[in-house]
């Protein structure tokens, strides 16, 4: 029995009531007075029997809660673990899902989790800060959720189209279920002999009539009435505390009525549904609202509005009505707009619209070109400031607006010669009004164009180079170069020397890396295939070589800053090397002495220097200067960081070596993809050059204990090839070069030629050169000559004499060429032999040392090592000064012994 029906003294009931009011107990406590008073029958009725659906849904809900908690703390590994558990639980409840359908809360989690993972995936900085487990779990979970969501595509799309409606539907289902469960509990709660219906029957009929109309009143009023009823019940209980047991039973009955669920609850549920519907309709601004007008009076009187008509945003009023529009008023308004720049909460797009509106007003009222130029300057500056982050690039629409504004500004400057602009003009001395005096406007058009050029570079850096979007963006380079050419023409007449040098450098930077195919065709004497192509070639302007020469020479003579002149020299050398003008490029590099102090330059200039040296080496290779090509490429290729040194990408490094900020800075220095140098071509040229130098040297010094390496990278590739257990046909470019080196070592030039020049190598490397056939012919010639030298070094001890005709037939070389090669080897004391002119025979000399000579040579080597060790010990004992004074002598000693790096090159400069 409930405590309201328990018999006892009045004092006991009062004490129990007061105790319950002061310290309310939780419903879930096990040891309390009510628990002691409950009978076994009541305990049985309190048990809740749940269906399989409720159990499965509760299990899914708990897992979803865990996943959402893990999402809040960015614990991706926990998300992955719980998601797998969720998938297994969903699979177990498949039979229920087939009957009931997939619940909306499950669809909502799948959609939210996929969006959450995509957001984390796009946040590159956040991914770098993740630990290893979370990063691995992120990629795994992202793949799983994308694959898993394919089965629920339609439901997810429906949810994303209207997430609020789906949430409301789910709430309605929960309300219906909770209402049904409460009704069941009400029915179960009446097993004590007095049911809820019996209590409801005791109500007067007037209340029954009023009950259906309860929804017409406000919720607050209904609550007040119920509160007042309860107060009356409690007061009646306290007043009649000393009456009979029959009166106590009547009082208890009235109290039970007060604590039973009201009949108004069903109406409250209906009110809640109506409120949600109205809130949803209010958001959508729907037209139909007739059914719920009288259904709920909580929100007051609803007012009908027209739905579906878009609200037209009124243009901001720049000036009050009746204001006289003149230059001072417009300038004042311009300053008001500009004062909001940089402040928190300022809408940058709205600022740009205001400036455009102000420009239109100035043109409409004919306030003069000075005002228009002033506003245009500020519009372009606002477009640049639209992205506050330096690393961010301009969006396509902003970029087009920027180009259009600069073109309009240049049009105004070209059409009006009486406008003077410059950074040195103070704002007080500006003349913007129409008068006899020329317009004077503060601003620098050159700075705006330079910033435009930098923005174009950033757009190219941040676009996928293998997409069509990159090609579309690259088409804008013609427009950028057109703007630079127009500004160049303007500054040549009105700009200072420094400004002209700056704009010349911008033009050079857009020209130096482009190969002039039409000038190349004219140099070869080729003409266009059709008449239109011939006319187009004749009508075109000067060659790029002439333009580069004119611009660079002006900078050489007029520039006062080292940086602009250094960049111009490097671009000029690059352009010469690109067009196979080897001697001009080499002489300009040697005269500039840039290699002496380039390490003190800023990183972008160093990247340009590395690119120039690489292009110089490739040019030397095309011209057959193998040793010069190897020397030019040695520094870049031996470092193993060619990609990074050329500004064509970043290598993976630890966070200790490079933090996130340094990585951002280095990414901004990267060269756009269309300016890249092919790294595979570069490596192939270097390895082939090293092969042509290293293989004859290895053959000549086969038994030399002090033999050094010319190219460490080439020797590394040879060792990798030797370590392979199974030698198959070569696949990669490196394997081709290693196989060719082994063939050359044996003097087999035909096999070497077949490995270096074939269809695969042609498509990968040699076809990328402008003069492909000439490069192939040069390579064949060099392979024949170096194979001849290697053959003589390797097999000279076998022959007593050999005729030059045999060597000429063997290596398919002319007899004068064979004679020249052997003569050089004899002069440089590389080959111990003599030439017999009448018979055209090479006579070998036996130069095998005797045992005494061998012992003398070993003694000389040991004495040399002893002297070197003694000098080292002496330097350590004497300190810094002892080593300092003996440094020159030690250097001369090393030079005599040819210990220093590059001794082979210094010794054999004239060998071939």
């Amino acid at each position: 029995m409930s405590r309201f029906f328990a018999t006892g003294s009045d004092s006991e009931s009062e004490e129990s009531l007061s105790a319950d009011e002061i310290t309310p107990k939780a419903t879930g406590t096990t040891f309390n007075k009510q628990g002691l008073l409950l009978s076994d029958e009541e305990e049985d009725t309190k048990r809740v029997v749940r269906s399989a659906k409720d159990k499965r849904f509760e299990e899914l809900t708990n897992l979803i809660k865990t996943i959402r908690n893990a999402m809040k703390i960015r614990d991706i590994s926990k998300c992955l673990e719980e998601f797998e558990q969720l998938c297994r639980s969903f699979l177990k409840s498949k039979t229920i899902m087939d009957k009931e359908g997939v619940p909306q809360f499950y669809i909502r989690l799948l959609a939210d989790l996929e969006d959450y993972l995509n957001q984390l995936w796009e946040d590159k900085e956040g991914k770098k800060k993740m630990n290893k487990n979370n990063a691995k779990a992120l990629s795994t979970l992202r793949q799983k959720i994308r694959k898993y969501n394919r089965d629920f595509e339609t439901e997810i799309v429906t949810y994303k189209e209207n997430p609020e409606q789906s949430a409301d539907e789910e709430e309605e289902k929960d309300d219906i279920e909770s209402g049904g469960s409460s009704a069941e509990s009400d029915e179960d709660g009446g097993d004590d002999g007095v049911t809820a219906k019996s209590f409801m029957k005791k109500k007067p009929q007037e209340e029954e009539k009023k009950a259906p109309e309860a929804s017409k009143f406000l919720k607050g009023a209904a609550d007040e009435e119920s509160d007042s009823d309860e107060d009356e019940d409690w007061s009646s209980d306290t007043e009649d505390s000393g009456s009979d047991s029959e009166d106590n039973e009547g009082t208890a009955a009235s109290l039970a009525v007060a604590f039973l669920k009201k009949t108004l609850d069903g109406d409250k549920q209906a009110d809640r549904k109506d409120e949600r519907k109205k809130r949803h309709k209010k958001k959508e601004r729907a037209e139909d609202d007739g059914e719920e007008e009288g259904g709920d009076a909580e929100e007051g009187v609803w007012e009908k509005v027209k739905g579906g008509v878009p609200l037209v945003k009124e243009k901001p009023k720049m000036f009050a009505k009746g204001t006289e529009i003149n230059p001072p008023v417009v300038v004042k308004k311009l300053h008001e707009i500009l004062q909001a720049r940089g402040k928190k909460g300022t809408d940058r797009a709205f600022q740009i619209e205001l400036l455009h509106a102000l420009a239109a007003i100035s043109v409409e009222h004919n306030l003069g070109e000075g005002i228009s130029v002033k506003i245009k300057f500020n519009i372009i500056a606002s477009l640049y400031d639209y992205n506050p982050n330096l690393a961010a690039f301009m969006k396509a629409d902003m970029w087009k607006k920027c180009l259009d504004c600069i073109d309009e500004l240049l049009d105004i400057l070209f059409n009006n010669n009486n406008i003077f602009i410059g950074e040195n003009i103070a704002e007080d001395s500006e003349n913007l009004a129409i008068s006899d005096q020329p317009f004077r406007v503060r601003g620098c058009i050159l700075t705006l164009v330079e910033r435009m050029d930098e923005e174009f570079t950033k757009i190219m850096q941040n676009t996928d180079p293998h997409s069509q979007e990159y090609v579309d963006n690259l088409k804008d380079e013609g427009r950028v170069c057109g703007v630079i050419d127009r500004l160049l023409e303007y500054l040549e007449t009105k700009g200072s020397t420094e400004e002209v040098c700056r704009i010349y450098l911008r033009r050079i930077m857009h020209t130096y890396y482009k190969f002039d195919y039409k000038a190349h065709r004219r140099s070869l004497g080729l003409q266009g295939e059709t008449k239109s192509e011939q006319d187009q070639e004749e009508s075109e302007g000067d060659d790029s070589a002439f333009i580069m020469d004119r611009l660079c020479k002006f900078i050489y003579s007029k520039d006062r800053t080292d940086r602009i002149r250094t960049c111009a020299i490097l671009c000029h050398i690059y352009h010469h090397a690109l067009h196979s003008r080897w001697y001009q490029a080499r002489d300009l590099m040697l005269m500039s002495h840039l290699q002496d102090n380039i390490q003190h330059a800023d990183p972008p200039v160093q990247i340009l220097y590395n690119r120039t040296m690489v292009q110089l080496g490739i040019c030397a290779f095309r011209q057959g200067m193998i040793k010069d090509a190897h020397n030019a490429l040695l520094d870049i290729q031996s470092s193993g960081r060619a990609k990074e040194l050329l500004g064509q990408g970043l290598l993976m490094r630890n966070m200790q070596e490079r933090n996130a900020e340094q990585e951002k800075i280095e990414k901004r220095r990267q060269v756009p993809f269309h300016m890249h140098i092919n790294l595979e071509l570069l490596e192939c040229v270097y390895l082939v050059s090293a092969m042509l130098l290293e293989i004859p040297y290895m053959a000549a010094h086969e038994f030399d204990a002090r033999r050094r390496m010319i190219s460490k990278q080439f020797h590394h590739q040879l060792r990798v090839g030797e370590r392979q257990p199974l030698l198959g046909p070569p696949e990669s470019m490196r394997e081709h070069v290693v196989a060719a080196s082994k063939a050359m070592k044996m003097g087999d030039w035909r096999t070497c030629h077949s490995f270096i020049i074939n269809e695969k190598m042609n498509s990968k490397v040699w076809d990328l050169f402008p003069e492909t056939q000439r490069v192939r012919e040069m390579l064949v010639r060099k392979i024949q000559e170096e194979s001849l030298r290697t053959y003589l070094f390797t097999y000279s001890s076998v022959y007593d004499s050999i005729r030059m005709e045999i060597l000429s037939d063997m290596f398919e070389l002319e007899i004068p060429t064979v004679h020249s090669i052997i003569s050089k080897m004899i002069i440089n004391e590389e080959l111990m032999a003599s030439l017999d002119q009448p018979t055209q025979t090479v006579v070998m000399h036996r130069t095998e040392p005797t045992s005494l000579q061998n012992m003398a040579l070993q003694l000389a080597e040991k004495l040399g090592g002893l002297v070197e060790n003694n000098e080292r010990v002496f330097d350590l004992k004497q300190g810094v000064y002892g080593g300092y004074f003996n440094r020159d002598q030690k250097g001369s000693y090393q030079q005599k012994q040819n210990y220093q790096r590059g001794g082979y090159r210094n010794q054999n400069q004239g060998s071939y």
Side-chain angles (χ1 to χ4, degrees):
M1 289 178 61
S2 176
R3 69 184 177 84
F4 294 112
F5 302 101
T7 58
S9 64
D10 299 333
S11 61
E12 286 177 359
S13 62
E14 287 176 2
E15 286 175 3
S16 62
L17 285 170
S18 62
D20 287 334
E21 287 174 359
I22 294 169
T23 57
K25 298 229 175 168
T27 57
T29 55
T30 56
F31 184 74
N32 53 14
K33 192 172 181 181
Q34 291 181 8
L36 292 172
L37 293 174
L38 290 173
S39 64
D40 293 336
E41 294 178 357
E42 286 178 334
E43 285 183 359
D44 292 338
T45 57
K46 293 289 181 182
R47 289 175 190 161
V48 179
V49 179
R50 293 183 301 165
S51 63
K53 173 189 169 185
D54 294 339
K55 289 180 182 178
R56 292 299 181 191
F57 276 26
E58 184 179 357
E59 184 182 359
L60 293 175
T61 308
N62 292 335
L63 288 171
I64 287 171
K65 283 181 183 177
T66 311
I67 291 174
R68 290 197 180 276
N69 290 336
M71 287 164 63
K72 288 177 185 176
I73 60 174
R74 295 170 73 97
D75 189 355
I76 312 300
S77 55
K78 181 70 174 174
C79 283
L80 176 60
E81 181 183 345
E82 295 298 324
F83 178 73
E84 291 173 349
Q85 183 67 26
L86 183 69
C87 294
R88 287 193 289 269
S89 300
F90 185 81
L91 197 60
K92 288 178 185 176
S93 53
K94 185 162 178 57
T95 54
I96 297 171
M97 298 303 171
D98 293 340
K99 293 179 184 177
E100 304 290 335
V102 182
Q104 198 66 29
F105 62 83
Y106 192 76
I107 298 298
R108 189 193 313 157
L109 175 82
L110 295 180
D112 293 348
L113 185 58
E114 186 176 10
D115 294 341
Y116 174 74
L117 293 174
N118 289 335
Q119 184 180 356
L120 285 181
W121 188 263
E122 291 170 2
D123 184 11
K124 295 183 180 178
E125 295 180 7
K127 277 169 64 179
K128 288 175 184 172
K129 293 177 183 177
M130 280 184 185
N131 57 29
K132 188 177 179 181
N133 293 334
N134 274 351
K136 188 176 179 181
L138 176 62
S139 60
T140 307
L141 182 56
R142 182 169 171 266
Q143 290 176 358
K144 284 192 174 185
I145 193 72
R146 288 171 68 184
K147 185 177 179 181
Y148 189 75
N149 282 5
R150 289 174 192 162
D151 300 333
F152 305 97
E153 277 186 7
T154 54
E155 291 89 344
I156 291 173
V157 170
T158 308
Y159 166 73
K160 287 185 176 180
E161 285 176 357
N162 202 345
E164 294 178 359
Q165 185 176 356
S166 58
D168 291 342
E169 289 174 2
E170 189 177 347
E171 285 180 9
E172 287 176 13
K173 285 182 182 178
D174 294 342
D175 291 340
I176 291 167
E177 289 174 3
S178 63
S181 62
S182 63
E184 290 173 4
S185 63
D186 289 341
E187 290 174 3
D188 294 338
D191 290 339
D192 293 329
V194 183
T195 61
K197 292 181 180 179
S198 63
F199 283 114
M200 295 301 292
K201 286 176 182 176
K202 291 180 182 180
K203 284 190 174 185
Q205 292 183 357
E206 295 177 1
E207 290 183 2
E208 290 179 0
K209 290 178 182 177
K210 290 180 180 178
E213 299 176 357
S215 61
K216 295 181 181 179
F217 296 97
L218 292 173
K219 188 178 179 182
D223 293 340
E224 286 174 5
E225 288 177 5
S226 63
D227 292 340
S228 63
D229 292 339
E230 290 174 5
D231 292 340
E232 289 173 5
D233 292 338
W234 284 107
S235 62
S236 64
D237 184 28
T238 53
E239 286 172 2
D240 300 336
S241 60
S243 62
D244 298 332
S245 61
E246 293 178 0
D247 297 334
N248 286 338
E249 288 178 3
T251 309
S254 64
L255 287 173
V257 172
F259 277 92
L260 284 172
K261 270 190 175 288
K262 302 290 190 301
T263 56
L264 199 63
D265 288 350
D267 297 332
K268 285 183 181 178
Q269 287 181 5
D271 293 345
R272 252 186 256 128
K273 292 178 189 176
D274 294 339
E275 181 185 347
R276 278 197 297 270
K277 287 179 183 177
K278 285 188 177 182
R279 208 184 308 134
H280 185 60
K281 288 185 179 181
K282 188 177 178 182
K283 287 179 182 177
E284 291 184 349
R285 300 186 182 279
E287 199 174 350
D288 186 13
D289 196 25
E291 291 181 3
E292 277 100 9
E293 272 186 349
D296 186 8
E298 284 184 31
E299 300 293 333
V301 181
W302 287 82
E303 183 180 345
K304 284 189 178 181
V305 294
K306 285 186 178 181
V309 180
L311 296 174
V312 179
K313 192 175 180 181
E314 294 183 0
K315 291 186 178 180
K317 295 181 179 179
M318 302 295 294
F319 303 103
K321 192 173 182 181
T323 306
E324 183 183 356
I325 307 299
N326 52 29
V329 173
V330 173
V331 171
K332 184 180 177 183
K333 189 66 180 178
L334 177 63
H335 287 307
E336 287 178 8
I337 296 171
L338 295 179
Q339 281 175 359
R341 276 177 68 183
K343 289 185 179 179
K344 190 176 180 181
T346 304
D347 188 356
R348 296 184 181 89
F350 184 62
Q351 263 202 327
I352 295 169
E353 289 181 12
L354 287 176
L355 290 171
H356 277 293
L358 194 63
I361 289 171
S362 67
V363 172
E364 184 181 349
H365 291 82
N366 296 322
L367 298 182
E369 302 298 339
I371 292 286
S372 298
V373 170
K374 178 81 173 173
I375 297 173
K376 289 287 181 189
F377 269 121
N378 288 290
I379 289 174
I380 298 169
S382 299
L383 287 169
Y384 290 147
D385 292 344
Y386 187 76
N387 290 324
N389 188 3
L390 281 174
F393 61 98
M394 294 179 79
K395 297 295 183 278
D397 53 344
M398 290 292 174
W399 170 245
K400 300 295 182 188
K401 285 181 185 177
C402 180
L403 287 178
D404 293 338
C405 285
I406 292 177
D407 277 331
E408 291 170 8
L409 184 58
L410 286 171
D411 289 338
I412 295 172
L413 294 177
F414 273 108
N415 295 332
N416 299 274
N417 293 324
N418 59 341
I419 300 177
F420 292 96
I421 57 173
E423 290 178 314
N424 53 356
I425 298 174
E427 290 191 1
D428 299 338
S429 61
E430 282 184 327
N431 181 24
L432 304 175
I434 299 174
S435 62
D436 298 335
Q437 298 294 327
F439 294 109
R440 292 170 60 84
V441 183
R442 177 179 173 80
C444 182
I445 182 68
L446 177 58
T447 306
L448 297 180
V449 172
E450 285 179 336
R451 179 70 188 274
M452 174 204 69
D453 195 23
E454 292 169 4
E455 289 293 336
F456 176 72
T457 304
K458 280 199 286 186
I459 289 172
M460 302 310 296
Q461 286 172 343
N462 290 277
T463 308
D464 181 14
H466 305 292
S467 64
Q468 183 62 32
E469 184 185 1
Y470 191 91
V471 178
D472 296 337
N473 290 338
L474 190 57
K475 291 176 183 177
D476 288 337
E477 189 182 16
R479 199 170 171 190
V480 171
C481 291
V483 169
I484 292 174
D485 285 335
R486 292 184 69 191
L487 182 61
L488 186 147
E489 184 182 349
Y490 176 79
L491 291 178
E492 281 177 345
T493 56
K494 293 191 175 183
S496 62
T497 306
E498 182 184 355
E499 291 176 335
V500 172
C501 289
R502 284 165 60 188
I503 195 62
Y504 275 10
L505 181 63
R506 289 287 163 183
R507 188 67 184 88
I508 289 168
M509 296 298 284
H510 281 279
T511 307
Y512 80 96
Y513 63 90
K514 296 175 182 173
F515 187 81
D516 194 346
Y517 282 96
K518 290 175 181 174
H520 177 64
R521 287 173 61 84
R522 284 198 290 270
S523 66
L524 296 177
L526 301 175
Q527 292 183 353
E529 296 178 358
T530 61
K531 184 68 175 174
S532 60
E533 289 181 0
Q534 295 177 8
D535 296 339
Q536 185 180 356
E537 289 178 1
E538 291 175 1
S539 62
E540 282 179 355
D542 300 325
D543 293 343
S544 60
F546 179 78
I547 295 171
M548 288 288 295
D549 195 58
R550 179 176 67 86
L551 299 179
C552 291
K553 284 182 178 177
F554 181 87
I555 292 176
Y556 299 158
S557 59
K558 302 291 184 182
D559 179 57
R560 297 176 186 174
T561 63
D562 287 338
R563 190 182 187 281
I564 292 179
R565 186 167 60 250
T566 301
C567 291
I569 291 172
L570 291 173
C571 292
H572 205 180
I573 295 169
Y574 190 104
H575 194 264
H576 279 316
L578 188 63
H579 292 83
S580 301
R581 295 188 286 270
W582 157 249
Y583 291 104
Q584 292 95 315
R586 184 197 64 179
D587 295 344
L588 191 55
M589 176 61 81
L590 294 176
M591 286 189 295
S592 65
H593 296 285
L594 288 175
Q595 58 271 26
D596 298 335
N597 53 9
I598 193 63
Q599 66 271 15
H600 302 300
D602 54 341
V605 178
Q606 290 186 15
I607 289 173
L608 181 58
Y609 174 80
N610 293 336
R611 286 167 54 80
T612 303
M613 288 302 297
V614 164
Q615 199 60 246
L616 202 60
I618 295 174
C619 175
F621 181 81
R622 288 199 303 267
Q623 300 300 314
M625 312 288 183
I626 302 300
K627 191 176 291 186
D628 293 317
H630 181 268
N631 293 342
L633 301 176
L634 179 63
D635 291 335
I636 301 295
Q637 284 297 120
S638 61
S639 66
R641 297 186 301 125
K643 184 178 183 181
E644 193 170 357
L645 293 175
L646 296 175
Q648 296 181 186
L650 299 178
L651 300 176
M652 296 297 291
R653 290 190 184 179
N654 296 329
M655 291 300 290
Q656 289 80 11
E657 296 182 20
R658 178 175 60 209
N659 55 31
E661 191 62 32
Q662 288 175 340
E663 189 169 348
K664 283 182 185 177
I665 294 171
E666 289 188 13
K667 280 183 179 178
R668 289 202 291 269
R669 294 177 186 147
Q670 299 304 300
V671 177
F673 183 77
H674 64 280
M675 299 170 63
H676 281 192
I677 296 170
N678 192 319
L679 294 177
E680 190 173 15
L681 180 144
L682 170 62
E683 187 178 8
C684 181
V685 167
Y686 174 75
L687 290 177
V688 170
S689 302
M691 178 191 75
L692 294 174
L693 293 176
E694 191 79 65
I695 296 299
Y697 178 76
M698 289 169 63
H701 300 82
E702 188 174 0
F703 303 105
D704 191 354
R706 291 197 169 189
R707 186 184 70 193
R708 55 169 189 79
M709 292 182 289
I710 298 174
S711 170
K712 287 185 179 179
Q713 188 180 4
F714 177 73
H715 275 273
H716 173 69
Q717 296 300 332
L718 285 180
R719 284 194 296 271
V720 169
E722 289 171 359
R723 281 200 296 264
Q724 288 183 353
L726 181 64
L727 286 177
E731 295 289 337
S732 65
M733 176 270 300
R734 295 174 182 174
E735 291 176 358
H736 276 87
V737 176
V738 170
S741 302
K742 291 179 180 177
M744 182 182 280
K745 204 170 181 180
M746 305 300 294
D748 186 359
W749 75 271
R750 289 183 179 84
T751 307
C752 177
H753 168 239
S754 65
F755 280 128
I756 292 294
I757 298 174
N758 50 54
E759 291 183 4
K760 191 176 288 186
M761 291 291 285
N762 287 343
S763 61
K764 283 185 177 180
V765 180
W766 308 125
D767 287 344
L768 302 178
F769 286 118
E771 300 175 356
T772 305
Q773 191 58 35
R774 195 168 68 83
V775 172
R776 290 200 197 99
E777 291 172 0
M778 179 274 299
L779 264 178
V780 173
R781 184 81 173 179
K782 287 294 178 184
I783 289 171
Q784 289 171 337
E785 292 176 0
E786 296 305 322
S787 297
L788 171 60
R789 284 166 47 80
T790 307
Y791 184 83
L792 290 174
F793 281 136
T794 305
Y795 300 109
S796 61
S797 59
V798 178
Y799 289 99
D800 286 330
S801 63
I802 185 170
R803 292 180 63 188
M804 283 192 282
E805 289 182 7
I806 296 174
L807 294 174
S808 174
D809 294 339
M810 189 183 298
F811 294 97
E812 296 185 8
L813 291 170
E814 300 85 0
I815 292 180
T817 305
V818 175
H819 186 276
S820 171
I821 292 170
I822 295 175
S823 299
K824 285 180 182 178
M825 293 172 68
I826 294 172
I827 291 169
N828 293 326
E829 298 181 357
E830 295 174 343
L831 182 66
M832 296 303 171
S834 58
L835 283 172
D836 187 13
Q837 289 291 344
T839 59
Q840 294 288 307
T841 305
V842 182
V843 180
M844 304 296 177
H845 297 169
R846 295 292 179 189
T847 57
E848 294 177 2
T850 62
S851 59
L852 181 62
Q853 287 173 338
N854 281 328
M855 292 171 63
L857 287 171
Q858 292 176 9
L859 179 62
E861 288 181 3
K862 290 179 180 179
L863 286 174
L866 181 63
V867 170
E868 191 172 349
N869 289 333
N870 283 341
E871 284 187 354
R872 257 193 228 114
V873 172
F874 183 71
D875 288 345
L876 290 173
K877 284 185 177 181
Q878 294 294 323
V880 180
Y881 294 104
Y884 176 77
F885 287 121
N886 293 329
R887 191 173 295 166
D888 295 337
Q889 296 176 3
K890 185 179 176 183
S892 63
Y893 172 75
Q894 287 183 347
Q895 287 171 9
K896 289 176 185 176
Q897 296 297 325
N898 289 330
Y899 285 173
Q900 81 279 11
R901 184 171 177 80
Y904 170 74
R905 280 170 275 174
N906 296 333
Q907 181 183 1
N908 298 327
Q909 274 183 348
S911 60
Y912 52 91

